Amino acid sequence: MAHKTIKVGLTGLVLSLAFGGLLYSTMGEATEYYKHVDEVMTQPGDWYGKKLQLHGYIVQDSILKRKNSLDYKFKVHSNGHIVEATYTGVVPDTFKDDAEVVLKGTLSSDGFAVSPNGVMAKCPSKYEAKPGAPTS
Amino acid sequence: MAALGSYLLLFTFMVAAYAAAASVAGARRRNSRLIESGIGAFYLVAALMTVASGVIIYAFVAGDYTIRYVQRYSDSVQPLFYKITSYWGGLDGSVMFWVFLLSLFGSVAVRVNRERHRELMPYVVAVISAVEMFFLFLMIIHNNPFETYLTQTPTDGRGLNPLLQNFYMAIHPPTMYLGFVGLTIPFAFGLAALITGHLDDSWLRAVRRWTMFSWFFLSFGLTLGMIWAYEELGWGGFWGWDPVENAGLLPWFTATAFLHSVMVQERRGMLRVWNVTLVIITFLLTIFGTFMTRSGVVQSVHAFGDDPALARLFLSFMAVVALFSFGWVIYRLPLLQARHELDSWVSREAAFLANNWILLFSAFFVLFATMFPTITEMINGERLTVGPPFFNRWMTPIGLMLLALTGIGPLLAWRKSTIENLLQQFLFPVALALAVSGGLVAMGVRVWSSGICFALCGLVFGTIAQEFYRGANVRRGMTGTDLFTAMVGLVGRNKRRYGGYVVHLGIVLMFLGFAGEGFSRDEQLLLKPGEEATVGRYVLRMDAIRVTDDGQKQMVTAHISVKDTDGADLGRMYPAKWYYRKHEEEPTTEVGIRRSFAEDLYIVMPAFELADQTASVEVHVNPLVNWLWVGFGIMALGTGIALLPERALSFAAARMPADAVTASLLAGALLLAPAVAEAQHVDGPASQLQIFSKEVKDVTRKLACWCGGCSKLPVGDCACGHCALVKKEVTQMMDEGRDEKAVLAHYVTPPTEHSQDDVHRGESGHVLLSEPPDVGSGRLAWLLPYALGLLGLAGAGMAAVRWTRRPAVAVAGGPSTVVAPELQSRLDDELRDLD
């Protein structure tokens, strides 16, 4: 019995170490910081080049679209801080003024460059919206 | 109404409390009257919840906007169907719907098992009642769906977002709930077994059907979610590893694991602690899934509420459940000793064990990655997230391993496989897998994950085919019928095993769909009028952008002609944007999809310029994606077979004329054929924009659309582009003065003398009569459906008579009396597995 326990324990240990190591090593490149606009824009320099998921609200009347293209330029704010973002591609139906969005991409001195398919607007849901948040 | 509802909930809570208390007390005192009264109260809960559901549905239909919940999720113009489905539209109602389903399921489970598992019943009742009490408490304290406005009452409701007034979205949540709620029943039986100490395998037998049933609905709900995402959201994919999607997937993993490990316990008496643990974990994950989507603990693109009070309630409930259940597991450990040890790693039980580990690992991996932002925030205040690529990187090899095990598991013998039977079993499937890989290499496929996936699909397919063939062959030798009848008989004899193989086949097809993703491509294009663009083997040309209005919404539709690179016309596609009245700010994107089994052409139009008629479109080519839905259909069939009552399909057990089964199943398959064809239906708004005279309509209704996708709808009623052309042609001919007969004759070549069938290919090769002419052989075609209906009725009657006469049949002697003992033992060996 003791022999078996040791065997099972060792196997478990080796397996969990292996998986833990693999998980850790693959994690590094896959992680992104999840931040609100104000958290980032107080010290923007610290975040240049880091992979970010930026949470905020679209500034009213800030969405500009280049004619005959899918190039967008818009501003996102939260708690009084604003960042300008650029994006090329398809935006969700709910992407509009005041919408709550999460943008994937990187920050630089030119603003926030959203990566392809990096715009997520809050899905209109049957379920309760956060009190006070836009209802879409 | 509102007051009635609220009091009903309060009263139900009390009744549930009584049911729990009376059952436990009755069981401890061995007082059967007390137990009976507990069960009675338990049924009463179901009755009360039914009434409460009736009340809320009535409030929705009658438009009682004094009730907040009703006001919030419906309005007076909403169609009746969506008024009813608004019942589970929001959090409050969905909790109530949950309790309603649980009370119904619980009552059925108790009713069915009352005699057979008498000793477990009081505790099953108590556990389910306790869960009901938690959710009722939640409703009464925190989310009362019957809450009213205190001061002023709005005159109309706010209405549901039009995006969600969608058929899939209406049935997707209840399907998920059916799965989630159903998994409470195995948990209740498991816990009852732990508490009473009746830890033989009888509780497993009581719950395996429930688990299978719930598992099916969970799979169905997940598939519906995928279809919705694919067809409505317009990003070209079907699974985005969103926390809400993952919440549904977690219990699916553990329930799948449980369905497999149950067999090891039934067969070999092993994994007993493991099974009971799995049931508990599965239940916890269903609660966790509900909690995760509703509490805002994980940031998700679904705008769910951020509700700390609700989160605390759920967390406490989960903690109590976990402590209580695992406490009992530890207490009962001595009774849960395995009867056997693992004999060899090359055995069926070892394969099941590996399958369980991988499934459980998947569940924990997905859980971990979903919770990762919350975990990191708790540890160092920094919210870190991981995206879909991370999930895919891990889940792809995990999925492939599971697929491999699906192929390997059934080939291994219980206890220990010898080298000899390994060779005999693996030869064909492995050869098939190798042949597939060879073919792929020859074809120049260089996507590793997909290539391996295809090869493994070959392996699993080989395994299933071999199992069916060998089983049926043995049976054929025994019963002397043809191979196909033998196969049906085989399935009838051991529904769970062969139903399971059919499910595996469905999984294989679904994996084909996943593997296809490796070859998908997408491009963003700017299309100007008349300009052509090439994507893959398709050439797209923008014809026009048109604006139409149907009263409910304004539709901006791009008309895009599609050709293949050889210049053959593939029809038109119509991606669109719809602007609903009152919701002009939120246009919905309507995807143009051209389906085929090989690949989907999927066009989205996110932006357009009406003035210069240009559109920015995103084009996806998604190979094999339709196999996902087909695979699910097969899976549903397999689950259906496994769930059939004991003696169903016994008609094929050799007392019917040998070929009857083959013939009737073929007839059945033919009846199903139109449903399959429908999967390729290509909708187009063309017909909405054209007006034809009544004469033209009458004539074209007699012709069938033969474009391959419209399930042969009458041309007059069909909306596809092809039919629009035909209608135009007919208009022209009628304008030229040809009469109806002449027009029909134009499309229909007269049947030759020898042709017995009623398929008359027209000169265009595309259009055929939609109804057979009421003369000659045509009359036969008219009769066929009725004949088939009568046949089915007769079959059902015969089955009913047979089943009621069962004992007599057994005495009269089945095939077993005439079978050589050696064959019988071989067959028994084959069939005893798993059941």
Side-chain angles (χ1 to χ4, degrees):
Chain A
M1 200 62 202
H3 182 63
K4 191 192 161 195
T5 320
I6 292 170
K7 245 169 45 177
V8 171
L10 265 181
T11 318
L13 190 72
V14 169
L15 278 180
S16 49
L17 276 181
F19 278 115
L22 269 174
L23 215 55
Y24 184 78
S25 60
T26 47
M27 202 112 230
E29 43 198 298
T31 50
E32 293 165 345
Y33 290 92
Y34 190 98
K35 290 282 162 193
H36 290 266
V37 175
D38 52 314
E39 290 174 274
V40 171
M41 291 317 283
T42 41
Q43 285 292 331
D46 291 357
W47 298 100
Y48 285 172
K50 283 186 182 158
K51 279 200 236 172
L52 282 175
Q53 282 196 26
L54 204 57
H55 186 156
Y57 300 90
I58 295 177
V59 176
Q60 198 144 21
D61 296 327
S62 73
I63 302 179
L64 300 173
K65 180 177 169 294
R66 187 176 293 156
K67 204 174 172 182
N68 285 340
S69 76
L70 290 173
D71 298 341
Y72 290 87
K73 203 171 201 181
F74 53 95
K75 289 176 184 156
V76 182
H77 75 99
S78 75
N79 289 332
H81 291 267
I82 292 184
V83 65
E84 189 155 279
T86 50
Y87 174 65
T88 303
V90 177
V91 295
D93 290 336
T94 40
F95 178 84
K96 56 177 188 190
D97 287 350
D98 293 328
E100 188 178 0
V101 287
V102 178
L103 308 170
K104 285 184 189 181
T106 46
L107 189 70
S108 69
S109 49
D110 302 333
F112 191 76
V114 185
S115 43
N117 292 319
V119 178
M120 291 177 285
K122 288 275 177 177
C123 193
S125 177
K126 284 185 173 188
Y127 306 104
E128 318 274 300
K130 214 191 281 189
T135 44
S136 56
Chain B
M1 275 286 112
L4 173 66
S6 295
Y7 283 121
L8 268 175
L9 291 184
L10 278 172
F11 186 54
T12 316
F13 182 81
M14 280 169 20
V15 174
Y18 173 77
S23 307
V24 175
R28 291 180 65 88
R29 288 203 217 150
R30 304 188 179 284
N31 179 339
S32 67
R33 287 185 60 191
L34 211 48
I35 294 176
E36 284 299 314
S37 88
I39 293 179
F42 189 64
Y43 292 157
L44 185 58
V45 172
L48 286 170
M49 284 314 295
T50 313
V51 176
S53 304
V55 170
I56 196 121
I57 289 177
Y58 174 79
F60 269 111
V61 174
D64 185 350
Y65 299 118
T66 52
I67 300 176
R68 273 167 179 275
Y69 185 71
V70 174
Q71 197 269 340
R72 199 157 180 173
Y73 292 103
S74 74
D75 61 15
S76 49
V77 297
Q78 207 165 308
L80 183 67
F81 177 66
Y82 292 115
K83 276 188 181 168
I84 294 171
T85 58
S86 294
Y87 174 15
W88 51 79
L91 171 62
D92 311 358
S94 59
V95 170
M96 187 165 135
F97 189 59
W98 178 291
V99 180
F100 169 60
L101 285 179
L102 182 57
S103 64
L104 283 188
F105 283 11
S107 299
V108 174
V110 167
R111 180 94 212 152
V112 170
N113 293 297
R114 205 151 69 140
E115 300 304 326
R116 219 178 312 159
H117 303 284
R118 186 177 279 280
E119 68 293 343
L120 296 180
M121 272 315 109
Y123 289 101
V124 171
V125 168
V127 172
I128 299 179
S129 300
V131 177
E132 286 170 353
M133 279 165 67
F134 167 71
F135 281 105
L136 282 165
F137 177 76
L138 205 71
M139 264 193 282
I140 293 163
I141 291 295
H142 200 265
N143 295 93
N144 186 353
F146 293 105
E147 205 173 35
T148 54
Y149 283 101
L150 290 179
T151 49
Q152 72 207 81
T153 308
T155 48
D156 197 2
R158 275 195 240 167
L160 203 58
N161 187 314
L163 261 183
L164 298 164
Q165 296 191 22
N166 167 288
F167 179 70
Y168 295 120
M169 255 342 204
I171 59 168
H172 164 65
T175 335
M176 291 299 286
Y177 289 154
L178 281 174
F180 270 35
V181 174
L183 287 171
T184 311
I185 308 292
F187 168 73
F189 274 83
L191 209 54
L194 280 174
I195 295 172
T196 54
H198 284 96
L199 283 164
D200 51 3
D201 301 340
S202 68
W203 73 273
L204 278 184
R205 272 195 293 281
V207 301
R208 66 184 187 202
R209 256 163 208 278
W210 280 102
T211 319
M212 226 184 282
F213 172 84
S214 319
W215 177 87
F216 168 72
F217 275 102
L218 210 51
S219 317
F220 188 35
L222 290 170
T223 312
L224 279 175
M226 285 198 262
I227 297 181
W228 182 74
Y230 186 67
E231 295 197 348
E232 292 295 319
L233 294 185
W235 54 280
F238 43 81
W239 191 268
W241 297 109
D242 180 85
V244 176
E245 295 171 328
N246 296 346
L249 192 61
L250 290 173
W252 188 89
F253 282 132
T254 49
T256 312
F258 177 70
L259 281 177
H260 288 92
S261 64
V262 160
M263 292 181 257
V264 181
Q265 176 165 351
E266 282 175 2
R267 256 316 263 215
R268 306 272 297 133
M270 295 159 59
L271 301 183
R272 303 170 80 201
V273 183
W274 179 259
N275 277 327
V276 80
T277 309
L278 268 183
V279 166
I280 296 168
I281 292 178
T282 307
F283 175 69
L284 281 173
L285 285 177
T286 60
I287 300 291
F288 180 78
T290 323
F291 159 70
M292 194 151 79
T293 51
R294 298 305 157 78
S295 66
V297 73
V298 176
Q299 282 292 335
S300 149
V301 285
H302 294 61
F304 292 106
D306 189 356
D307 191 340
L310 192 71
R312 271 198 297 277
L313 276 172
F314 264 106
L315 275 182
S316 340
F317 179 63
M318 274 159 46
V320 169
V321 170
L323 275 178
F324 185 77
S325 339
F326 287 118
W328 274 105
V329 174
I330 293 167
Y331 177 68
R332 292 293 185 197
L333 270 183
L335 287 180
L336 286 167
Q337 289 299 325
R339 280 203 294 272
H340 299 279
E341 297 251 319
L342 192 61
D343 289 323
S344 151
W345 279 100
V346 192
S347 65
R348 180 90 53 98
E349 47 270 51
F352 277 131
L353 206 59
N355 137 310
N356 266 249
W357 282 347
I358 297 177
L359 282 168
L360 205 67
F361 178 78
S362 314
F364 279 106
F365 169 76
V366 173
L367 181 66
F368 168 74
T370 313
M371 295 299 289
F372 190 64
T374 315
I375 298 171
T376 51
E377 196 173 29
M378 275 193 303
I379 293 173
N380 58 5
E382 202 82 84
R383 212 180 168 94
L384 289 167
T385 61
V386 287
F390 180 67
F391 280 97
N392 285 338
R393 170 175 295 189
W394 274 84
M395 291 313 285
T396 309
I398 287 176
L400 290 178
M401 275 196 264
L402 279 176
L403 187 62
L405 278 175
T406 313
I408 296 169
L411 298 178
L412 297 173
W414 289 100
R415 303 198 62 169
K416 191 173 170 54
S417 300
T418 59
I419 301 283
E420 187 189 348
N421 69 29
L422 280 183
L423 265 179
Q424 181 208 358
Q425 288 278 51
F426 276 88
L427 191 63
F428 174 66
V430 169
L432 196 62
L434 288 178
V436 171
S437 356
L440 288 172
V441 171
M443 274 158 55
V445 173
R446 290 293 179 273
V447 182
W448 278 107
S449 50
S450 302
I452 294 174
C453 186
F454 286 133
L456 289 176
C457 285
L459 175 79
V460 182
F461 183 76
T463 301
I464 299 168
Q466 177 175 292
E467 287 288 307
F468 267 97
Y469 178 74
R470 290 200 177 154
N473 223 5
V474 172
R475 204 182 156 77
R476 185 179 61 166
M478 257 174 52
T479 56
T481 53
D482 67 305
L483 191 66
F484 195 76
T485 307
M487 212 174 265
V488 176
L490 184 75
V491 174
R493 266 294 285 268
N494 200 333
K495 286 175 280 289
R496 206 149 66 106
R497 176 173 176 180
Y498 289 96
Y501 288 151
V502 175
V503 171
H504 282 181
L505 187 65
I507 298 271
V508 167
L509 296 181
M510 290 183 95
F511 264 92
L512 283 183
F514 297 142
E517 262 203 301
F519 306 98
S520 69
R521 50 190 301 166
D522 54 287
E523 266 179 58
Q524 287 172 358
L525 305 167
L526 180 73
L527 286 177
K528 294 179 180 144
E531 213 177 69
E532 289 195 340
T534 310
V535 179
R537 59 183 193 85
Y538 299 100
V539 180
L540 310 178
R541 197 187 72 222
M542 166 69 87
D543 294 337
I545 301 177
R546 298 210 177 116
V547 184
T548 48
D549 197 311
D550 69 351
Q552 192 194 7
K553 57 186 177 289
Q554 203 170 48
M555 298 170 284
V556 179
T557 312
H559 294 234
I560 297 174
S561 303
V562 185
K563 283 191 229 160
D564 63 16
T565 35
D566 303 330
D569 191 19
L570 297 176
R572 266 186 173 182
M573 291 176 67
Y574 305 96
K577 282 218 152 196
W578 289 355
Y579 298 81
Y580 280 84
R581 296 265 182 284
K582 290 209 280 188
H583 294 273
E584 283 84 357
E585 284 293 292
E586 291 169 20
T588 64
T589 300
E590 301 300 315
V591 184
I593 306 179
R594 185 184 182 277
R595 294 178 188 283
S596 71
F597 284 118
E599 63 187 18
D600 274 12
L601 178 62
Y602 183 107
I603 304 184
V604 194
M605 177 180 64
F608 56 87
E609 301 288 341
L610 268 184
D612 39 12
Q613 293 272 304
T614 58
S616 306
V617 293
E618 192 167 70
V619 184
H620 299 262
V621 179
N622 295 323
L624 301 178
V625 71
N626 281 313
W627 289 102
L628 255 177
W629 327 131
V630 176
F632 175 75
I634 305 273
M635 221 164 94
L637 182 76
T639 321
I641 292 174
L643 279 174
L644 279 177
E646 277 313 307
R647 280 173 306 279
L649 283 186
S650 58
F651 65 83
R655 271 176 55 94
M656 290 257 279
D659 298 325
V661 179
T662 313
S664 52
L665 281 181
L666 273 178
L670 286 176
L671 283 176
L672 286 175
V676 177
E678 202 161 16
Q680 298 177 308
H681 186 91
V682 184
D683 256 325
S687 64
Q688 293 166 9
L689 307 172
Q690 290 161 317
I691 296 158
F692 297 101
S693 69
K694 189 177 167 299
E695 289 77 24
V696 172
K697 270 190 191 153
D698 286 345
V699 175
T700 48
R701 284 218 178 100
K702 295 199 174 141
L703 295 168
C705 171
W706 204 247
C707 73
C710 305
S711 11
K712 295 178 222 159
L713 271 175
V715 170
D717 300 331
C718 181
C720 81
H722 175 72
C723 291
L725 286 177
V726 174
K727 279 181 254 184
K728 251 188 200 156
E729 254 174 53
V730 172
T731 315
Q732 217 171 18
M733 280 189 262
M734 308 240 343
D735 286 346
E736 286 166 12
R738 293 206 222 176
D739 68 349
E740 187 183 318
K741 248 189 187 162
V743 173
L744 291 183
H746 172 80
Y747 289 106
V748 185
T749 49
T752 58
E753 266 176 42
H754 303 289
S755 84
Q756 298 247 320
D757 60 4
D758 297 287
V759 180
H760 314 316
R761 190 152 281 274
E763 63 182 61
S764 68
H766 284 296
V767 185
L768 296 113
L769 280 186
S770 76
E771 20 182 86
D774 198 8
V775 286
S777 70
R779 290 228 170 96
L780 212 67
W782 277 108
L783 278 176
L784 188 68
Y786 300 101
L788 280 179
L790 281 177
L791 200 75
L793 207 65
M798 267 163 67
V801 171
R802 259 191 70 90
W803 292 347
T804 36
R805 272 205 315 236
R806 176 173 48 93
V809 170
V811 172
S816 52
T817 47
V818 290
V819 172
E822 180 219 5
L823 268 177
Q824 178 65 45
S825 72
R826 234 171 88 198
L827 180 77
D828 279 350
D829 270 344
E830 294 272 339
L831 293 180
R832 199 171 43 225
D833 280 7
L834 319 184
D835 213 346

